Amino acid sequence: MEKVYLGVDVGSVSTGMVLLNEHLEVLAELYLRTQGQPIRVVQEGLKALEKRIRGMPLKICGVGTTGSARTLTGVLLGADTIKNEITCHGLAATHVVSGVQTVLEIGGQDSKMILLRDGIVVDFAMNTVCAAGTGSFLDHQAARLNVPIEEFGELALQSQNPVRIAGRCSVFAESDMIHKQQVGTSMPDIIAGLCEALVRNYLNNVGKGKEIRPNVVFQGGVAANAGIKAAFEKALEMPVTVPGYYGVMGGIGAAMLARAAVESSGETRFKGFEVSEMAYQASSFECRDCPNCCEVVNLTVKEEVLARWGGRCGKWADLREVGLGTRF
Amino acid sequence: MKISFAHIGYATMAMERLLQDLGHEVIPPLQPTANTFSLGAVHSPEFACIPFKILMGTYLEAMERGADALLSAGGRGPCRAGYYGEIHQRILRELGHEPRLFFFWPPYQVPLDTLKKLNGLRGKTSWLQMVRYIKKAWKMMIALDDLEILSHRIRPLETETGATSKAFRQALGYIRQARTLEEIEEASIAGIERLHQVPQDPNREVLRVGIVGEIYVQIEPAANFFLEEMMGEMGVECHRSIFMTNYVRHDVFSRHGDLSARELAQPYLPLNIGGHGQNSIGDVVRFAAKSFDGVIQLAPFTCIPEIVAKSMMPHLSQELDIPILTFFIDEQTARGGVETRLEAFVDMIWQKRALRNAGSRSVFDRAKIPGDRGLAPVSSR
């Protein structure tokens, strides 16, 4: 049996799942839309993965989760490590592209920049108060212009004269775009202008004061957009690499960390593929017992609470130790 | 007179004691909640900063609970905090509230006004007795700060997650019950003992992170997502640059502010830019000199002094070789985003320390670094 490690990155918009072997090579990858239902997407992904590796002499020996739904997913699967997406993305980039010093990552709801020196994360930034320039805004604009998001980037590359669009805020950007569109500017010029505006905003906001050195890696769902990649290359005046697995880099990092975690713990906590068949229900309530008003989350199967988290005082965490042997 | 005031961290308790001693009925301010945030945001100018909105919400909640007088203090120097009292008052009036107001300004700027307001608060108490009460409240404030500082030291060493926070809450309870100077002294000692009883692993390696930034979002844990607790439970010892007691020493009874921080900031920012902007720079220099592992800057969104300070952070970080993470705080109440960034920051500074100690420790060895409990999600603790 070959040992493999599962990395799951459940983001706001998309979910990436990766299987790595002992040599940290990608055996299988999946890219799904989260569609606001993290539990369902993880279960579906698990089923699809199982189908793909059925009959192969593989054994899942470690699971890592990341992304904004990492805690929920970790409880669900029985993860060996639950890690933030910044660490995972940085780790995956150093593994996949040698000599990387800058990682540009743009996902569905957030964008980040990670600076690495000699394979170590030395600085990072993540958009704080504004989601302009992230995948969901691009999605929205593509839908409004009636262009499939997959063709968005190619259209941008056709442009000869990108127009200038305000990129500071998605509301300003949209009204600027509508304005340009109404005076007859061609679609490719508008889209290319939008790409440049988003890149300008990203470099100014997330990348403020950061020293961007080559090699530059561009990953996350938006890296599929050739227009944005071209705009980055133009603005940075250096080549930008989009790795083959750009959409699932978070998952790769999580799987790498899972291997490390199992190495020190000795055994995985993975609950097996049966997880995809269980009728899980996540619910939450606001505890009113003190002014903190914690949002407590319950994960239940058939009314039985398997795990509970989110409370600050520990009162609600009593159930951590029960159910399916999960220990958190 | 049913009096209430702004909630500012644990020091709130000392103020409550003082006003009770003076014979007033106190409506103790509630720790700000999501409700306070919303209430304040609805009735504040949109571009006001989050401390303004939280205070607005706190005052309105106090009025609903029957308060007819409010006590607060205005900032000094060129920051809009100086106008807080005035604007809060106008908004309250527009909403039909006419509380009696005791908004204090730095005593050296307006000595007569300060005396007049103190006289109003004094009631039937003699001046001498009032001074005694103030002294007592001051002792209480010191005891509260001491406890909080100690909790920040112990939390990263605790062997049972949450044990320190529990002990800290109990210790706060001791102080709350103390009425006389002797009782405060006793409660303080008992509280310190209680914290030391928390089961600890004294050999665990911890990270040291300094916290700089605007005063309110530093001192009020409800405004900063209980950052110090979160960090403590990630194995980080937090050193906050502003506590109520050092603030009172530096900025209420002196016109100069924290001189040491201002001096340290000189090579980078020789001007007082208002608020705690210059302090933020000076404190970064101080923490770097003490070989801290990193610094976190807390700033209300749109706070000009902190924006100016932030723009200098990349330069400081490089020159002083200290990682710095800035949080702009606004109305968001979801902890997820903060947790993600903190966890990544902690990962990063662990690696940096490991690199410094061992020469080349890869991220894979992180699971073995003592003190790292990063495998369980923070939110599940």
Side-chain angles (χ1 to χ4, degrees), chain B residues 233-245:
Chain B
E233 291 177 2
M234 288 181 189
V236 180
E237 191 180 291
C238 289
H239 291 245
R240 203 163 75 203
S241 58
I242 307 179
F243 281 87
M244 216 46 203
T245 44

Side-chain angles (χ1 to χ4, degrees), chain A residues 130 132-133 137 141 162-180 189-190 192-202 204:
Chain A
C130 170
F137 176 60
Q141 290 312 321
V163 290
R164 196 190 147 82
I165 286 169
R168 193 190 194 318
C169 161
S170 60
V171 179
F172 297 165
E174 179 161 325
S175 66
D176 234 15
M177 280 169 67
I178 292 175
H179 221 74
K180 304 273 152 117
D189 285 349
I190 292 180
L194 178 66
C195 291
E196 288 187 0
L198 296 191
V199 164
R200 204 164 49 233
N201 179 44
Y202 172 91
N204 229 326

Side-chain angles (χ1 to χ4, degrees), chain B residues 290-357:
Chain B
K290 289 186 182 171
S291 305
F292 271 55
D293 294 287
V295 171
I296 290 181
Q297 182 197 12
L298 295 175
F301 186 46
T302 72
C303 170
I304 295 287
E306 295 302 328
I307 288 173
V308 174
K310 194 217 168 219
S311 67
M312 307 177 72
M313 292 303 177
H315 174 75
L316 279 174
S317 172
Q318 204 166 30
E319 189 169 309
L320 305 171
D321 189 28
I322 187 164
I324 302 171
L325 179 68
T326 302
F327 279 109
F328 277 108
I329 296 173
D330 203 40
E331 282 165 52
Q332 329 88 311
T333 46
R335 285 156 48 96
V338 177
E339 238 168 59
T340 297
R341 290 164 178 83
L342 279 183
E343 200 189 290
F345 188 68
V346 170
D347 281 351
M348 182 175 92
I349 56 184
W350 264 124
Q351 284 185 46
K352 191 171 149 57
R353 175 179 293 186
L355 203 68
R356 203 169 52 198
N357 289 351

Side-chain angles (χ1 to χ4, degrees), chain A residues 28-50:
Chain A
E29 53 148 343
L30 271 182
Y31 186 81
L32 307 159
R33 290 245 161 184
T34 309
Q35 292 179 320
Q37 303 191 53
I39 295 180
R40 217 180 73 186
V41 76
V42 169
Q43 289 186 313
E44 274 172 15
L46 214 54
K47 264 184 219 164
L49 265 187
E50 201 267 336

